[in-house]
Amino acid sequence: MPKNSHAAPPQPAEDIRTGMSVESIRRAFLDNLFFVQGRFLQVASSDDEYKALAFTIRDRMLQRWVATIQTYQKTNCRTVAYLSAEYLPGPHLGNNMLSLGITEVAREALAELGLDLDALIAYEEEPGLGNGGLGRLAACFMDSLATLQIPAISYGIRYQFGIFNQHIRDGWQTELTDTWLRFGNPWEVRRPHVAYEVQLGGHTESYLDDNNRYRVRWVPHETFRGVAIDTPILGYGVNTVNALRLWSAEAPESFDFHAFNTGDYFGAVNREIRSETISKVLYPNDEPETGKRLRLLQQHFFVSCSLQDLIRIHQTTKLPLTKLHEKFSIQLNDTHPAIAVAELMRLLIDIHQLDWDEAWGVTSRTFAYTNHTLLPEALEKWPVEMFESLLPRHLQIVYEINARFLDEVRLRFPYDADRVSRMSIIDESGPRWVRMAHLACVGCFAINGVAALHSRLLQETVLKDFHDLWPNKFSNKTNGVTPRRFMMLSNPGLTALLDRTVGRGWARDLDRLRQLEEHADEPAFQEEWRAIKLDRKQALAKLVQERLGIEIDPTSLYDIQAKRIHEYKRQHLNVLHIIALYSRLKRNPGLDITPRTFIFGGKAAPGYHMAKLIIKLIHGVGDIVNRDPDVAGRLKVVFLPNYSVKLAQWVYPAADLSEQISTAGKEASGTGNMKFSMNGALTIGTLDGANVEIRDEVGPENFFLFGLTAEEVERARADGYRPYDVYESDPELKDAIDLLSSGLFARGDRELFRPLVDHLLNHDSYLLLADFASYIECQDRVAEAYRNPTQWTRMSILNAARMSKFSSDRTIGEYCRDIWHASPVPVKLP
Ligand code: NBG
């Protein structure tokens, strides 16, 4: 490729760091390449080129960032603080260019240098600082907060190793460490002076202060330091840049002087290494065991740094700490940061000398809590002994909060000792545990679930006692996703069509997509719609060919399930359908079926054996189906390794059918379901999570519904559900399960999938068998519908047209109105 680097004539009119013209971008790129990377075009690697462009874009964001900080300081505005242990922002470059409105300018500037913008975008490694939906939701919220110009700061942990990289060997998942920081991260700005000390271990002492007041002093065993590393988050089409502030752990000094003076140099260095381990690695969720010390330590670490930082910022306003809740609203993303309730009390009482009632007045008016799951195994609790050994002072505070809280419960329900022990923050039914969800409920003024059904079930089941006590604390905030990343960035063809049809600006006002309804039956519009889908399907086919060497047919129905692998999400129900189709074709090779490509993506927790077995099963079935000439051209099965935000951007636009098939009552919301639908995929789904609301919005005639409702699931269980009877009574199910047990998909090994089959036949905790017949019948309707392109395209258009509710802008608007009481603060450039 010719690299054309001759210097441009000097153009003083536009600043090289802020100018938005092709000319300034081109010059800035060369300038950064030279002065930051120490390179020139002829010898630059992809990494050099990527970074030169990243710095060029970042320069343009920094100007807006500084203006934002100045505006926030000047107006002393109310600010949202979002505390989350996970963030999955996806690659930044493309999104930042989109927000700046500079993509085409950059493309041209690079083309003049003989470089391809898309190749540089594709080069970026994404920060995998989350497991799945919860971390990605946090990232969508950051995008919407900035786009809606809400003053906000997001706090988390700068894991050195994010979520593991998934490799597939012989059909099995293996985990490789993520090394996203290996070549450095051009988007972050290290703030060495924004650093706080965090303590752990040791014991507490009581004493009387100068005013003869009883006080407690914590004498910790160890101290760490957290250093702030900031990433700018720019809103779409505005000047607002909010900070994502991630904490990185360090030793308090590079040398432990005591150890050093006694000659223990290596001990001192070791200590530094130990400190760093706190922010070393992200914990994969869905792991069977609980009670990991390091995880609690991580939570305390980032929460403590964040609260100290908020107090410091608050003190610059000259307002007393008793008004902290007037300046900040702090959102706890699940229970991971719930220790904040005790930590803020400690900081206010022990460090800032407030008395208990003052401190509680602030604390209980500052925090709000979002619950993201009903699964009992995902509700965090810590063994009391472990908690005490790490955080002795916090345990005392938790006990005190609990004692006062339980008095309140007894007053309200005087004859109900059971209720008191059910609600206690300390679970004393066996070995003692600290229940983090209870601490969150007691310490927060607002509690919400993430979809209507989920919020209702929360109030009726897991948090029923708290709802009885404080009904006004509860509300629902149905999740949403950002149309910027998941429509504009992922699907430029669709974006262009929408721009032409409903006018630019729809991505900030998704209601405008309603206008598409008028075109749903127009043949010419339908033609364009299908061409866009086909283009994305071809692109995914190319990716599959390159990565897996499997050829897939872009005219076949792309049936996609992409999400974490979990029994409740029922990827294996999807597999049973594939086996059933395969079996139909083997028995009747002439059968005329709708050709389908089944595509899976998702990681399994490293210690979750059943989930890993499901991945193996998908591969086992794929190996047979993809090689069998009898079904060639009609069935294909593909597993896309290492599903990520980056890969997701290829997947959503290419889907015809979106699999949202969890057992009703188990998926809190789901957000992939929204992203598929926005890109015109039709959903096959249960009445679970946000599926319920998606179906309400798009209309039941544009949604493939199957399966038991959450109530029916409960009833079936209560009535002594017997999966074996279902197996015996449904020949197609029996046939599929028998084929699965036969060893066909395991090269003759009849034992390999036995744990899966045994579980299904004897327990079937997630009611696959109960939903099988309904699922198959529904899939047959899908296949039939796909044969009518006019009808299918109409449904597809209506899905996209009716998705406005699921923009994260709507969700954030509701949080701002009902919980945070925050309003927009526009930022002007000087
Ligand atoms: C997940 C739920 C999803 C939901 C996301 C975001 C956890 C604990 N929960 O259904 O399983 O969409 O949170 O709310 O990761």
Side-chain angles (χ1 to χ4, degrees):
M1 188 183 291
K3 289 189 175 180
N4 166 3
S5 67
H6 31 255
Q11 285 239 325
E14 262 198 346
D15 184 78
I16 196 167
R17 294 216 189 248
T18 55
M20 303 288 275
S21 68
V22 173
E23 177 57 20
S24 1
I25 299 289
R26 190 172 68 85
R27 285 176 50 211
F29 175 86
L30 292 173
D31 195 69
N32 280 321
L33 188 63
F34 192 91
F35 288 104
V36 181
Q37 299 295 107
R39 284 276 193 267
F40 52 98
L41 263 189
Q42 283 73 9
V43 301
S45 65
S46 303
D47 192 62
D48 296 324
E49 292 163 357
Y50 158 72
K51 282 198 187 119
L53 180 60
F55 285 122
T56 301
I57 301 305
R58 198 185 81 172
D59 285 342
R60 277 131 192 93
M61 295 167 71
L62 289 181
Q63 182 197 23
R64 289 162 175 78
W65 200 1
V66 170
T68 305
I69 294 169
Q70 285 169 341
T71 307
Y72 290 174
Q73 274 174 348
K74 215 163 42 214
T75 54
N76 188 19
C77 43
R78 188 164 165 76
T79 301
V80 176
Y82 198 79
L83 263 58
S84 177
E86 302 191 7
Y87 291 93
L88 273 178
H92 292 290
L93 177 60
N95 198 248
N96 288 336
M97 288 192 297
L98 176 71
S99 295
L100 281 170
I102 208 178
T103 313
E104 290 319 308
V105 172
R107 187 184 302 284
E108 211 179 305
L110 289 177
E112 286 182 10
L113 300 171
L115 298 175
D116 174 18
L117 177 67
D118 294 323
L120 296 191
I121 292 177
Y123 175 83
E124 182 173 349
E125 237 181 290
E126 71 178 80
L129 309 184
N131 274 284
L134 177 137
R136 182 54 235 179
L137 184 77
C140 283
F141 281 7
M142 290 195 297
D143 182 84
S144 285
L145 281 162
T147 299
L148 297 175
Q149 308 180 89
I150 304 296
I153 173 161
S154 306
Y155 287 108
I157 302 173
R158 181 176 173 277
Y159 302 105
Q160 190 185 342
F161 300 104
I163 186 76
F164 61 87
N165 281 315
Q166 177 192 55
H167 280 225
I168 303 296
R169 290 208 193 110
D170 187 28
W172 292 102
Q173 167 177 302
T174 55
E175 299 88 27
L176 270 73
T177 45
D178 161 54
T179 51
W180 72 290
L181 291 171
R182 185 178 27 169
F183 300 125
N185 170 12
W187 302 105
E188 66 187 24
V189 179
R190 204 183 149 81
R191 312 271 187 212
H193 297 289
V194 182
Y196 301 95
E197 299 211 328
V198 177
Q199 277 87 27
L200 104 111
H203 63 275
T204 63
E205 290 168 355
S206 54
Y207 66 102
L208 291 179
D209 69 11
D210 299 344
N211 303 322
N212 245 353
R213 284 199 302 183
Y214 175 84
R215 298 243 164 236
V216 177
R217 157 186 328 123
W218 179 13
V219 185
H221 173 65
E222 258 176 297
T223 300
F224 302 102
R225 247 163 73 94
V227 177
I229 299 187
D230 290 352
T231 303
I233 305 293
L234 172 62
Y236 171 69
V238 293
N239 295 319
T240 299
V241 176
N242 287 328
L244 166 63
R245 176 159 285 179
L246 301 179
W247 301 103
S248 180
E250 293 181 355
E253 306 287 342
S254 16
F255 290 101
D256 177 325
F257 282 105
H258 175 68
F260 193 52
N261 291 337
T262 56
D264 186 13
Y265 177 82
F266 291 100
V269 174
N270 261 334
R271 221 175 122 118
E272 161 127 11
I273 292 169
R274 247 192 312 150
S275 311
E276 284 172 5
T277 57
I278 295 182
S279 55
K280 189 128 257 169
V281 62
L282 165 77
Y283 276 99
N285 59 9
D286 308 327
E287 288 282 339
E289 337 93 88
T290 52
K292 295 191 195 75
R293 273 175 74 90
L294 188 55
R295 195 176 157 97
L296 176 57
L297 199 52
Q298 282 185 339
Q299 297 180 350
H300 169 61
F301 164 74
F302 99 88
V303 162
S304 179
C305 290
S306 308
L307 293 180
Q308 292 183 66
D309 198 41
L310 290 172
I311 289 176
R312 175 190 59 83
I313 296 170
H314 184 76
Q315 286 176 328
T316 65
T317 69
K318 309 274 188 297
L319 286 170
L321 273 178
T322 47
K323 289 187 187 292
L324 185 75
H325 57 282
E326 292 178 14
K327 169 80 181 163
F328 291 110
S329 198
I330 308 181
Q331 191 69 31
L332 306 179
N333 196 28
D334 218 290
T335 54
H336 315 145
I339 186 69
V341 172
E343 173 67 358
L344 184 59
M345 287 299 284
R346 185 189 72 85
L347 290 168
L348 294 177
I349 294 171
D350 293 358
I351 310 294
H352 297 282
Q353 316 275 309
L354 266 59
D355 65 34
W356 182 280
D357 291 330
E358 278 175 330
W360 186 248
V362 173
T363 301
S364 60
R365 273 179 280 181
T366 299
F367 291 113
Y369 158 54
T370 305
N371 172 289
H372 294 266
T373 185
L374 298 164
L375 298 184
E377 62 270 28
L379 292 171
E380 284 193 302
K381 50 185 191 172
W382 304 105
V384 167
E385 293 69 37
M386 188 190 92
F387 194 99
E388 183 168 30
S389 75
L390 287 177
L391 304 170
R393 178 61 181 140
H394 295 75
L395 187 65
Q396 290 175 343
I397 291 171
V398 167
Y399 282 157
E400 185 62 30
I401 293 172
N402 199 35
R404 290 167 185 245
F405 161 62
L406 293 181
D407 283 343
E408 188 180 336
V409 177
R410 281 187 208 98
L411 268 179
R412 273 288 302 280
F413 304 96
Y415 306 105
D416 199 345
D418 266 2
R419 183 183 294 266
V420 173
S421 63
R422 279 200 313 267
M423 295 186 81
S424 171
I425 300 173
I426 309 296
D427 177 356
E428 302 191 275
S429 53
R432 295 162 74 235
W433 301 87
V434 184
R435 296 158 161 162
M436 298 311 273
H438 291 212
L439 179 60
C441 287
V442 176
C444 291
F445 67 87
I447 303 166
N448 73 282
V450 290
L453 173 67
H454 168 64
S455 295
R456 176 167 70 77
L457 293 175
L458 255 189
Q459 296 172 20
E460 289 172 1
T461 61
V462 192
L463 300 182
K464 177 176 189 308
D465 292 328
F466 290 94
H467 184 254
D468 289 348
L469 184 62
W470 296 310
N472 295 334
K473 279 195 189 185
F474 284 78
S475 74
N476 172 54
K477 296 286 168 282
T478 298
N479 283 165
V481 302
T482 171
R484 271 76 65 181
R485 182 175 290 273
F486 292 106
M487 297 180 79
M488 298 186 84
L489 202 58
S490 307
N491 204 339
L494 179 64
T495 300
L497 176 65
L498 298 180
D499 286 352
R500 284 201 303 279
T501 314
V502 307
R504 278 216 144 231
W506 55 267
R508 292 173 63 172
D509 177 12
L510 226 49
D511 267 333
R512 286 213 217 156
L513 295 187
R514 291 259 167 211
Q515 295 169 38
L516 294 177
E517 292 186 22
E518 299 161 24
H519 306 280
D521 294 312
E522 274 170 26
F525 189 80
Q526 282 213 346
E527 208 49 59
E528 284 190 84
W529 193 266
R530 277 192 292 269
I532 290 161
K533 182 60 77 183
L534 183 63
D535 172 70
R536 290 297 81 203
K537 289 170 76 175
Q538 283 163 338
L540 188 61
K542 185 159 168 278
L543 185 146
V544 167
Q545 176 63 254
E546 282 165 9
R547 296 205 185 163
L548 302 168
I550 300 176
E551 193 181 324
I552 61 175
D553 173 8
T555 66
S556 65
L557 190 169
Y558 279 16
D559 176 338
I560 308 189
Q561 188 169 17
K563 50 180 80 241
R564 285 296 285 250
I565 313 292
H566 201 293
E567 287 165 279
Y568 86 77
K569 296 179 189 275
R570 302 199 295 192
Q571 280 90 355
H572 44 338
L573 177 58
N574 188 342
V575 174
L576 285 178
H577 172 234
I578 303 175
I579 297 177
L581 288 182
Y582 178 70
S583 177
R584 283 184 195 171
L585 286 171
K586 289 304 274 187
R587 287 173 197 277
N588 183 0
L591 195 69
D592 179 24
I593 73 158
T594 304
R596 281 205 206 213
T597 303
F598 294 90
I599 299 172
F600 293 85
K603 295 177 182 179
Y608 186 178
H609 299 297
M610 204 61 112
K612 290 180 136 176
L613 195 55
I614 292 174
I615 294 179
K616 176 67 179 168
L617 174 64
I618 294 168
H619 285 93
V621 171
D623 282 347
I624 292 298
V625 170
N626 297 350
R627 287 189 292 119
D628 188 336
D630 288 351
V631 304
R634 293 183 285 178
L635 294 183
K636 273 276 161 72
V637 180
V638 171
F639 186 92
L640 286 173
N642 209 33
Y643 190 62
S644 58
V645 177
K646 209 168 157 178
L647 200 48
Q649 293 176 203
W650 292 90
V651 165
Y652 296 123
D656 294 306
L657 187 67
S658 152
E659 296 270 354
Q660 307 300 336
I661 60 177
S662 52
T663 316
K666 295 294 169 197
E667 188 70 89
S669 161
T671 43
N673 47 5
M674 303 165 185
K675 298 164 196 165
F676 277 111
S677 210
M678 282 181 180
N679 283 279
L682 304 188
T683 305
I684 182 166
T686 48
L687 284 178
D688 199 15
N691 294 354
V692 178
E693 291 156 84
I694 291 177
R695 180 168 171 270
D696 285 345
E697 291 295 306
V698 304
E701 67 285 7
N702 300 308
F703 186 104
F704 294 100
L705 177 72
F706 76 96
L708 300 177
T709 63
E711 280 69 26
E712 288 165 347
V713 165
E714 279 319 308
R715 212 171 311 133
R717 286 223 180 86
D719 294 349
Y721 171 58
R722 290 162 54 107
Y724 200 87
D725 294 352
V726 185
Y727 161 81
E728 291 272 74
S729 64
D730 179 342
E732 188 155 39
L733 170 63
K734 184 165 188 309
D735 181 60
I737 297 233
D738 291 349
L739 212 50
L740 170 51
S741 322
S742 72
L744 172 66
F745 306 115
R747 312 181 80 183
D749 182 350
R750 301 172 131 263
E751 292 306 306
L752 183 61
F753 298 122
R754 186 184 290 278
L756 242 164
V757 173
D758 281 353
H759 186 84
L760 288 180
L761 293 182
N762 301 318
H763 307 283
D764 192 17
S765 333
Y766 298 106
L767 283 89
L768 268 78
L769 304 200
D771 276 347
F772 177 83
S774 163
Y775 181 56
I776 297 294
E777 181 273 327
C778 191
Q779 285 284 22
D780 289 343
R781 277 190 283 131
V782 169
E784 209 37 53
Y786 195 70
R787 290 170 169 253
N788 181 344
T790 310
Q791 189 54 25
W792 184 278
T793 306
R794 176 190 151 81
M795 292 166 77
S796 166
I797 295 170
L798 291 180
N799 262 263
R802 298 174 178 173
M803 288 305 287
S804 67
K805 175 169 176 189
F806 305 101
S807 166
S808 41
D809 296 349
R810 188 271 312 152
T811 313
I812 287 300
E814 289 180 7
Y815 277 96
C816 284
R817 186 191 64 203
D818 302 340
I819 298 180
W820 301 332
H821 305 293
S823 24
V825 177
V827 175
K828 286 198 188 62
L829 284 186

